[in-house]
């Protein structure tokens, strides 16, 4: 089945620890995106990548890092520098081009204790 | 700063009612307006609107874009309990292909 997978679904970490969220897609999409969703604030863009080995900061990149070594994978690391990391994280992908919608993965809920 | 605002933030209606969800935007290099439905986890795509005044329909859902007033609406007729969800609208920035999302409207349909 084609789609986007994110793992894990739920993640608990202690304050001060880095944590990496996984995002994999087998849709052969060029572009991949990471969003954060907080209650009442919709989705905010963290990082996005249009092509392998290239990525750009979104609106709230501070405290996060990404890599895009393979077309199908776009992992997100939440570092200890992120002041309020508890949130729902969504990964998305799309074919490059303005006429293509983004498809979303099921999300990872991160709770920092 | 790019901004998308949805209203109302929350709406509760009875099954069978018709609802209208609103989305206004201020997005530089605007390309399109997208609507998504989010039930539990992953938002699912509903519509992409690029041209002004052309209604898009899918069953009981329809949407239209007004590029002069920077506004879009999503209509749902004869609502069903399965329509209960958060509805998100987003502006697509041309070139960068970034989406700027609104806060979402939480729609609850009571039987």
């Amino acid at each position: 089945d084609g789609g986007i997978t994110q793992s894990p679904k739920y993640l608990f970490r202690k304050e001060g620890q880095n944590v990496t969220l996984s995002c994999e897609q087998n849709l052969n999409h060029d572009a991949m995106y990471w969003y954060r969703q907080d209650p009442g604030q919709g989705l905010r863009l963290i990082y996005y990548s249009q092509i392998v080995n290239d990525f750009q900061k979104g609106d709230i990149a501070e405290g996060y890092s990404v890599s895009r070594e393979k077309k199908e994978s776009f992992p997100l690391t939440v570092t200890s520098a992120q002041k309020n990391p508890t949130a729902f994280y969504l990964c998305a992908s799309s074919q490059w081009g303005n006429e293509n919608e983004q498809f979303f993965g099921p999300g990872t809920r991160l709770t920092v204790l | 700063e790019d901004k998308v605002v949805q209203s109302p933030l929350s709406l509760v209606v009875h099954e069978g009612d018709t609802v209208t969800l609103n989305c206004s935007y201020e997005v530089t290099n605007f390309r399109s307006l997208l609507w998504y439905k989010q039930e539990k986890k992953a938002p699912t795509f509903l519509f992409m609107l690029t041209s002004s005044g052309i209604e898009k329909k899918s069953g009981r859902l329809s949407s239209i874009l007004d590029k002069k007033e920077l506004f879009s609406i999503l209509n749902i007729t004869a609502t069903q309990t399965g329509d209960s969800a958060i509805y998100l609208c987003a502006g697509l920035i041309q070139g960068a292909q970034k989406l700027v999302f609104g806060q979402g409207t939480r729609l609850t349909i009571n039987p």
Side-chain angles (χ1 to χ4, degrees):
Chain A
D1 279 17
I4 304 173
T5 56
Q6 291 185 241
S7 61
K9 286 185 181 178
Y10 300 95
L11 189 56
F12 295 88
R13 279 293 182 267
K14 290 184 179 178
E15 201 172 312
Q17 290 181 332
N18 290 358
V19 59
T20 297
L21 311 184
S22 168
C23 177
E24 304 276 332
Q25 54 99 0
N26 61 5
L27 300 167
N28 200 32
H29 284 168
D30 300 308
M32 296 186 74
Y33 310 80
W34 272 106
Y35 295 90
R36 169 184 173 137
Q37 188 174 30
D38 295 281
Q41 293 195 46
L43 277 66
R44 292 182 290 167
L45 182 64
I46 304 172
Y47 267 98
Y48 65 107
S49 168
Q50 301 171 2
I51 197 168
V52 174
N53 292 323
D54 187 45
F55 48 83
Q56 285 79 40
K57 292 182 179 180
D59 301 316
I60 54 165
E62 186 175 348
Y64 300 97
S65 66
V66 293
S67 63
R68 187 84 188 277
E69 296 176 2
K70 298 186 295 182
K71 186 176 185 178
E72 55 271 21
S73 178
F74 192 41
L76 173 75
T77 297
V78 184
T79 75
S80 56
Q82 167 50 233
K83 295 192 183 341
N84 185 19
T86 294
F88 186 52
Y89 291 87
L90 284 160
C91 178
S93 71
S94 72
Q95 196 54 274
W96 192 244
N98 282 314
E99 302 307 319
N100 300 298
E101 70 271 20
Q102 293 181 16
F103 295 87
F104 285 84
T108 292
R109 187 167 297 279
L110 172 65
T111 302
V112 176
L113 307 170
Chain B
E1 183 186 339
D2 296 322
K3 189 168 59 173
V4 175
V5 177
Q6 293 185 245
S7 65
L9 295 181
S10 180
L11 184 60
V12 181
V13 300
H14 290 292
E15 205 167 17
D17 288 351
T18 292
V19 298
T20 298
L21 309 184
N22 305 301
C23 177
S24 64
Y25 63 92
E26 294 176 29
V27 175
T28 54
N29 296 318
F30 174 84
R31 169 68 181 181
S32 303
L33 193 290
L34 285 78
W35 284 96
Y36 285 86
K37 177 182 181 182
Q38 185 178 25
E39 292 181 77
K40 289 184 180 174
K41 301 286 186 183
T44 54
F45 173 76
L46 294 175
F47 297 110
M48 177 185 286
L49 303 152
T50 304
S51 301
S52 200
I54 299 174
E55 185 183 52
K56 290 208 171 180
K57 290 197 71 157
S58 177
R60 296 176 293 103
L61 277 66
S62 64
S63 185
I64 197 163
L65 175 68
D66 184 333
K67 292 172 81 170
K68 183 179 176 185
E69 299 296 328
L70 308 183
F71 194 83
S72 175
I73 60 171
L74 175 68
N75 278 323
I76 309 175
T77 60
T79 52
Q80 302 170 359
T81 54
D83 295 326
S84 295
I86 296 173
Y87 289 84
L88 299 162
C89 77
L92 177 65
I93 298 173
Q94 182 144 359
Q97 293 184 39
K98 293 166 51 178
L99 284 176
V100 179
F101 279 86
Q103 321 94 302
T105 293
R106 181 179 292 276
L107 176 64
T108 303
I109 311 296
N110 288 327

